[in-house]
Amino acid sequence: GNVYVTDEWMNRVTVYTSDGDLIGVWGQPGTGDGMLNRPNGIAFDANGDVWIVDSLNHRLQKFTKDGRFLAKFGEYGKGEGRLDSPWGMTIDNQGDFYVADHKNHRVQKFSPDGRHLMTFGSFGTGRGELTRPTGVAVDPDGDVYVVDWWNNRVQIFDKNAKFLATLVGDAVQMAKWHFKFISANPDVLKARRRVYTLEPEWRFALPVGIAFDTRRSRVFVTDSQRWRVQVYNKLSDYREPQYNL
């Protein structure tokens, strides 16, 4: 139940209780084993060890819960299995890693020992293409959700890296905190009434993180420039109608 936070600018991990009380801090800046340079993504494996995306060292590192270095994999480069400023990361039920390879414009899948398995996406703005991805999540069906940061969307792939769908943001109603902010600012309220359409407000603006809630089959997307989280339900047990055209 404790909370582990990667502190990017301080190059360390801070640990809290679930109530927010500080437990400890570990990590130091550098390039050696166990040192960090702009840490980002973080996840626990099945053994309870902590994996951290060591972004500007272009690698993943493994630690015990109290910060003792255990292992690492990854190095700078453009080829398969190499990384350039990786960002978000997740671990699936088989222990495989999915890493948002930020400046290589792709997501890479690795085995638990760091062997390259698969690549999702390529550079661009089209279907299934990515520009500076920042987050990745995997659901129990093996579908992979990638935060396509610079393209302001989420791209969805199946377990074989085939493109499935795109989410662009659908928050037709404001979050309650947004509503309070606008209601307290008459000038903002008036300006909002003058626009031709409010549709741009519904859409993602530089989304960053993503997580899949397996218990309720939901996707959570942190919509950073809109100061909110958008939540999607993944539907199951449905049938597509048959049309004879």
Side-chain angles (χ1 to χ4, degrees):
N2 294 331
V3 179
Y4 286 68
V5 182
T6 48
D7 192 345
E8 181 185 8
W9 288 91
M10 299 293 285
N11 297 302
R12 66 188 188 188
V13 175
T14 306
V15 188
Y16 302 88
T17 67
S18 58
D19 295 322
D21 297 324
L22 179 66
I23 294 176
V25 176
W26 50 265
Q28 58 180 312
T31 59
D33 289 351
M35 295 182 172
L36 301 169
N37 189 358
R38 300 292 177 84
N40 280 299
I42 185 170
F44 285 89
D45 64 20
N47 297 321
D49 293 319
V50 188
W51 285 88
I52 294 175
V53 178
D54 189 9
S55 182
L56 294 191
N57 284 327
H58 316 289
R59 64 189 181 187
L60 273 67
Q61 295 202 75
K62 179 182 179 181
F63 299 86
T64 61
K65 290 182 180 180
D66 57 1
R68 180 169 55 87
F69 171 76
L70 295 174
K72 66 180 180 181
F73 71 83
E75 58 182 327
Y76 174 76
K78 302 296 182 182
E80 286 191 345
R82 294 176 178 262
L83 301 167
D84 186 354
S85 305
W87 199 313
M89 176 263 290
T90 193
I91 303 175
D92 68 14
N93 292 333
Q94 285 70 48
D96 294 327
F97 297 86
Y98 296 74
V99 183
D101 192 3
H102 185 63
K103 289 188 177 180
N104 281 330
H105 314 290
R106 63 192 180 190
V107 164
Q108 295 199 72
K109 180 181 180 180
F110 297 90
S111 66
D113 60 358
R115 180 171 50 90
H116 176 263
L117 298 176
M118 194 178 300
T119 297
F120 296 79
S122 59
F123 177 65
T125 60
R127 290 161 53 94
E129 296 178 332
L130 305 168
T131 305
R132 298 291 180 93
T134 54
V136 58
V138 181
D139 70 21
D141 297 322
D143 291 338
V144 180
Y145 304 78
V146 183
V147 180
D148 190 8
W149 180 68
W150 195 247
N151 288 327
N152 298 304
R153 63 190 182 183
V154 172
Q155 300 269 59
I156 307 174
F157 302 84
D158 70 10
K159 61 184 178 182
N160 298 313
K162 178 184 176 182
F163 170 76
L164 295 178
T166 298
L167 305 177
V168 295
D170 296 275
V172 177
Q173 293 182 327
M174 286 186 293
K176 62 180 180 181
W177 302 281
H178 269 149
F179 181 77
K180 288 181 178 180
F181 172 80
I182 290 174
S183 298
N185 291 269
D187 291 338
V188 174
L189 190 61
K190 291 177 182 178
R192 194 166 175 270
R193 290 171 178 165
R194 291 195 297 267
V195 300
Y196 173 72
T197 176
L198 292 173
E199 184 173 345
E201 189 180 83
W202 309 349
R203 307 309 181 196
F204 293 131
L206 298 181
V208 176
I210 192 166
F212 192 87
D213 174 7
T214 57
R215 187 169 65 90
R216 296 188 178 181
S217 192
R218 299 187 299 181
V219 182
F220 290 78
V221 183
T222 52
D223 193 4
S224 69
Q225 297 303 300
R226 305 289 192 203
W227 317 296
R228 65 190 178 193
V229 175
Q230 293 205 45
V231 186
Y232 287 82
N233 292 315
K234 181 178 183 180
L235 303 179
S236 60
D237 300 326
Y238 66 90
R239 294 182 180 180
E240 294 186 4
Q242 180 67 46
Y243 294 105
N244 295 319
L245 300 178

